[in-house]
Amino acid sequence: MEATGTDEVEKIKSKFMSAWNNMKYSWVLKTKTYFSRNSPVFLLGKCYHFKTEGEYRALHSFGSNFDKINAEISGNVEEFRKDFISRIWLTYREEFPQIKGSALTTDCGWGCTLRTGQMLLAQGLMLHFLGRAWVWPEALDMDSSDSESWTSNTVRKLTASFEASLTAERDPKILPRPQRGPARRDWDVTEMRNEVYHRKIISWFGDSPLAAFGLHQLIEYGKKSGKIAGDWYGPAVVAHILRKAVEEARDPELQGVTVYVAQDCTVYSSDVIDRQCSFMDSGKAGTKAVIILVPVRLGGERTNTDYLEFVKGILSLEYCVGIIGGKPKQSYYFAGFQDDSLIYMDPHYCQSFVDVSIKDFPLESFHCPSPKKMSFKKMDPSCTIGFYCRTVQDFEKASEEITKMLKSSSKEKYPLFTFVKGHSRDYDFASSPLHEENDLFSEDEKKRLKRFSTEEFVLL
């Protein structure tokens, strides 16, 4: 009887926690993000201008060019919106399959850094399979009405959740959103191919045990560094977890991608090239694309504003796939900037589980309808920077460009990180093998991960 009573208490507690998470993380406030027309906007290596050279003349003369100028400005804004919305957005989810070794069916309150890591990796895969010029054809079908729709659904779900808690019934699923926009047009072969990869990339991040880069798999790899579901994950730890997830992925489509994590703020060029030139699982030799992750600190307890120009420079590079970072107690995925403000996607929004294994699963909840901005001064110093290089030649070119940027932007004696010729073993550092049979992390990596875990900020 005592055990039964305890079980009932735990069930009721779980339901109230679910209701609390709905209220805390699912409530959408309709806030606007303002952009200046006087400054360019950068988004993952692309630059957008919201004014034209003839704007001032047109404004003063009010001549026949006025409408044309406004149309050009509007077009630039529209292109930026399409580009931003096309990035993959990964947020808190609830009611997904239970995480192995725990009773958790949601990552609300603890999984935000894993989500930002997923977004960075997703951007790298989008560059690899779709290219930087790709945009989701249905991006502009998502407008501000989405927020209103999600808010009303959240209110209904929150109310139903409290009622279910009292009656010990299962929480009802969120009501499906009505279909919006015109019927799908006829797509050509290239568009169909791109849409297949669009869905496939999202499916790799699904919230199920089988998804290669889903939360369930990432947590399994995190256990090797002493982390469990519900723990806090810092940007550096997530970088190592992502590397292991890519190494262990068995989908043939992913055999042409590898991940390298910088050791103590140093990128060893020969180690990177060795990864790019390693054998595929099929035994065939081939050059792999590489995603380079560099955990860094932009200061001590607070971010040093001297690094602002460097961060801007990084986000303006075509090789950049974003930054895993945030502000104290909140993790964000930084993807661009305007003036001294960073543009980011926020994972702190609780959405319902989507089964990505079904055909034509809904895509809307994986794309953010509007960007957010944050002053660089508020950024926490601990972060992980990501780059994508398709070929060895791309890596060599990128390392040269980034090295120049590091030297020109650094006011300190030493740059944030460096590119060094040769292998890490040439400098008496332990070089971890690409694959380890019995343990996913070498002893050297475990020590480094433990240090990162104790040094990094706590995220919510």
Side-chain angles (χ1 to χ4, degrees):
M1 289 295 293
E2 184 177 348
T4 303
T6 302
D7 290 342
E8 289 299 321
V9 170
E10 288 299 317
K11 287 180 180 178
I12 294 173
K13 180 181 177 181
S14 175
K15 289 184 178 294
F16 272 108
M17 286 301 297
S18 177
W20 167 247
N21 285 332
N22 286 337
M23 181 174 65
K24 186 175 182 179
Y25 298 112
S26 297
W27 189 267
V28 178
L29 296 177
K30 192 176 180 182
T31 58
K32 291 184 178 180
T33 300
Y34 294 94
F35 289 89
S36 169
R37 288 193 176 191
N38 300 319
S39 305
V41 177
F42 286 85
L43 183 68
L44 295 169
K46 280 197 172 185
C47 179
Y48 295 91
H49 293 272
F50 297 159
K51 75 172 183 179
T52 64
E53 292 179 1
E55 181 179 0
Y56 293 119
R57 183 174 67 254
L59 290 174
H60 286 298
S61 64
F62 293 97
S64 59
N65 288 332
F66 187 70
D67 290 338
K68 179 182 178 182
I69 297 298
N70 276 337
E72 290 176 358
I73 297 170
S74 177
N76 289 337
V77 173
E78 187 173 276
E79 288 302 309
F80 169 73
R81 287 189 62 228
K82 284 168 63 177
D83 191 2
F84 179 83
I85 293 171
S86 297
R87 302 313 104 206
I88 292 176
W89 183 41
L90 298 162
T91 72
Y92 287 157
R93 296 277 175 174
E94 63 173 353
E95 296 301 319
F96 52 60
Q98 187 171 311
I99 295 172
K100 183 179 178 181
S102 77
L104 293 169
T105 58
T106 179
D107 63 319
C108 287
W110 58 271
C112 59
T113 318
L114 290 170
R115 296 300 186 181
T116 54
Q118 286 180 320
M119 285 189 263
L120 184 145
L121 178 58
Q123 177 60 21
L125 295 176
M126 289 175 76
L127 286 182
H128 186 71
F129 292 105
L130 298 171
R132 186 62 186 89
W134 177 84
V135 292
W136 185 31
E138 299 176 28
L140 293 184
D141 290 342
M142 294 184 64
D143 53 30
S144 58
S145 63
D146 280 25
S147 297
E148 295 169 356
S149 172
W150 294 356
T151 302
S152 60
N153 278 331
T154 299
V155 172
R156 289 198 296 271
K157 186 173 184 185
L158 178 61
T159 303
S161 181
F162 274 117
E163 291 175 351
S165 297
L166 296 175
T167 58
E169 296 175 358
R170 180 177 175 81
D171 295 346
K173 295 294 182 185
I174 193 166
L175 297 176
R177 261 178 274 161
Q179 294 293 324
R180 297 183 304 279
R184 177 175 292 182
R185 57 188 173 80
D186 293 332
W187 287 4
D188 62 24
V189 175
T190 301
E191 288 177 319
M192 290 179 66
R193 176 258 183 201
N194 287 345
E195 187 57 20
V196 168
Y197 275 110
H198 177 202
R199 287 183 171 275
K200 182 172 288 187
I201 292 169
I202 291 175
S203 72
W204 284 329
F205 295 91
D207 293 307
S208 71
L210 298 178
F213 311 127
L215 200 71
H216 296 69
Q217 285 286 3
L218 299 185
I219 289 167
E220 284 300 305
Y221 299 130
K223 288 178 181 178
K224 302 295 182 179
S225 66
K227 295 288 187 180
I228 61 173
D231 281 351
W232 313 114
Y233 294 74
V237 172
V238 169
H240 286 272
I241 290 173
L242 293 177
R243 176 173 64 82
K244 286 300 177 183
V246 172
E247 284 182 5
E248 297 300 313
R250 290 295 170 256
D251 192 312
E253 296 275 11
L254 293 167
Q255 297 306 301
V257 183
T258 186
V259 172
Y260 173 89
V261 181
Q263 300 182 46
D264 300 316
C265 299
T266 305
V267 177
Y268 295 94
S269 297
S270 295
D271 288 342
V272 175
I273 294 172
D274 283 352
R275 282 184 169 273
Q276 288 189 272
C277 297
S278 61
F279 285 92
M280 309 287 190
D281 279 0
S282 60
K284 296 180 180 179
T287 302
K288 295 183 178 183
V290 63
I291 296 172
I292 300 170
L293 302 178
V294 187
V296 297
R297 285 194 67 88
L298 304 176
E301 293 185 6
R302 294 184 179 181
T303 295
N304 186 338
T305 54
D306 288 344
Y307 291 122
L308 172 59
E309 293 306 313
F310 170 74
V311 172
K312 287 183 179 182
I314 289 296
L315 291 170
S316 65
L317 290 175
E318 60 180 302
Y319 309 102
C320 182
V321 292
I323 299 174
I324 305 170
K327 60 184 181 181
K329 298 187 179 181
Q330 290 186 333
S331 181
Y332 298 142
Y333 170 61
F334 295 117
F337 69 92
Q338 184 182 46
D339 295 324
D340 293 347
S341 294
L342 297 170
I343 298 170
Y344 67 92
M345 286 196 284
D346 190 351
H348 302 88
Y349 171 58
C350 188
Q351 303 189 82
S352 292
F353 166 71
V354 173
D355 186 354
V356 296
S357 67
I358 64 174
K359 185 179 179 181
D360 295 331
F361 61 87
L363 295 168
E364 290 84 357
S365 67
F366 297 100
H367 291 279
C368 185
S370 60
K372 291 187 177 183
K373 291 172 70 177
M374 183 192 86
S375 170
F376 175 79
K377 295 178 181 179
K378 295 181 180 179
M379 183 179 181
D380 193 281
S382 184
C383 62
T384 289
I385 301 169
F387 307 98
Y388 168 86
C389 299
R390 186 177 294 275
T391 65
V392 172
Q393 291 73 25
D394 284 344
F395 166 67
E396 291 172 342
K397 182 180 177 183
S399 61
E400 289 178 6
E401 288 187 27
I402 296 168
T403 297
K404 289 178 182 177
M405 186 181 299
L406 284 162
K407 289 180 179 178
S408 63
S409 64
S410 177
K411 295 181 180 179
E412 306 292 332
K413 185 177 180 181
Y414 300 102
L416 275 175
F417 62 94
T418 59
F419 288 83
V420 175
K421 300 293 183 182
H423 298 89
S424 58
R425 61 175 177 267
D426 299 333
Y427 299 84
D428 295 325
F429 288 107
S431 180
S432 59
L434 295 182
H435 294 280
E436 295 168 357
E437 294 296 328
N438 300 320
D439 203 351
L440 288 175
F441 290 98
S442 66
E443 289 303 316
D444 183 61
E445 287 176 312
K446 286 181 180 178
K447 291 177 183 177
R448 188 157 54 249
L449 287 170
K450 186 176 181 180
R451 186 175 74 251
F452 280 133
S453 297
T454 57
E455 289 178 355
E456 289 178 339
F457 58 92
V458 175
L459 305 178
L460 295 177

